[in-house]
Amino acid sequence: MSFDQEWADLKQSAATRMRLNSLPTLETNPTPTRNEDLIVNDDELGKIGHAAYVLHRNLTADGKHAQRQTETAGESLKGDGFATGAALTKFSQDWKKQMNTLLEGCAHISNHLDYSSKSMKKEDEQIETSIRASKISEYLDVPSTEPEPSPPTPKGGPII
């Protein structure tokens, strides 16, 4: 079996397993109004964005709780010749880096979901408007924007 044939078989197998319409929603009584391929509700995005915001807020307040004391203890132990002091100081620095990475991730998730929700809503409205406009032209006699060719003029004099 060639690579191309094997790749085509794998893609076909994956396509038959894909089930975008059948995933459960967070709603207790979902009532789909249309036959969409992928449904994302603003409420679901709002819950995820809010959770990211709450995590960011709490981590900002509580994540640095013992940082100053840990660094002080690490420096003191290191000054007394204990290897634990250097390890404790390194741990404190690594904790700060990881915490900042998590804070940036939470802020990015929250901000991106807000932007995506607004952007997708605006894009959906534009698509809906363009589809409605194309449907209108199917039912109405919309004149063409191209000029119609003029009829040929007879050569010579008038025909009697």
Side-chain angles (χ1 to χ4, degrees), residues 79-134:
D80 291 337
F82 290 100
T84 308
L88 193 57
T89 303
K90 173 121 176 65
F91 169 77
S92 178
Q93 292 167 352
D94 290 346
W95 173 263
K96 184 177 180 181
K97 288 179 189 174
Q98 293 297 320
M99 188 185 61
N100 287 337
T101 301
L102 183 58
L103 286 170
E104 288 174 11
C106 290
H108 180 73
I109 289 169
S110 181
N111 293 339
H112 182 70
L113 288 176
D114 287 343
Y115 170 79
S116 294
S117 178
K118 292 174 186 171
S119 173
M120 292 303 291
K121 189 176 284 188
K122 183 177 180 181
E123 187 176 310
D124 285 347
E125 289 170 357
Q126 289 174 343
I127 291 170
E128 185 177 1
T129 302
S130 67
I131 289 173
R132 285 184 184 164
S134 68

Side-chain angles (χ1 to χ4, degrees), residues 33-146:
T33 56
R34 293 180 234 141
N35 190 16
E36 292 95 350
D37 288 337
L38 178 63
I39 301 171
V40 179
N41 296 319
D42 286 340
D43 292 344
E44 293 169 351
L45 293 178
K47 289 176 185 176
I48 295 169
H50 181 68
Y53 170 76
V54 169
L55 179 60
H56 184 277
R57 186 186 65 211
N58 291 342
L59 191 58
T60 300
D62 299 332
K64 299 177 184 177
H65 181 68
Q67 183 177 355
R68 199 170 291 136
Q69 292 86 350
T70 304
E71 288 175 354
T72 303
E75 292 299 323
S76 176
L77 287 170
K78 191 165 52 171
D80 291 337
F82 290 100
T84 308
L88 193 57
T89 303
K90 173 121 176 65
F91 169 77
S92 178
Q93 292 167 352
D94 290 346
W95 173 263
K96 184 177 180 181
K97 288 179 189 174
Q98 293 297 320
M99 188 185 61
N100 287 337
T101 301
L102 183 58
L103 286 170
E104 288 174 11
C106 290
H108 180 73
I109 289 169
S110 181
N111 293 339
H112 182 70
L113 288 176
D114 287 343
Y115 170 79
S116 294
S117 178
K118 292 174 186 171
S119 173
M120 292 303 291
K121 189 176 284 188
K122 183 177 180 181
E123 187 176 310
D124 285 347
E125 289 170 357
Q126 289 174 343
I127 291 170
E128 185 177 1
T129 302
S130 67
I131 289 173
R132 285 184 184 164
S134 68
K135 290 288 185 188
I136 290 172
S137 64
E138 287 179 16
Y139 298 107
L140 300 174
D141 185 21
V142 179
S144 174
T145 57
E146 297 177 14

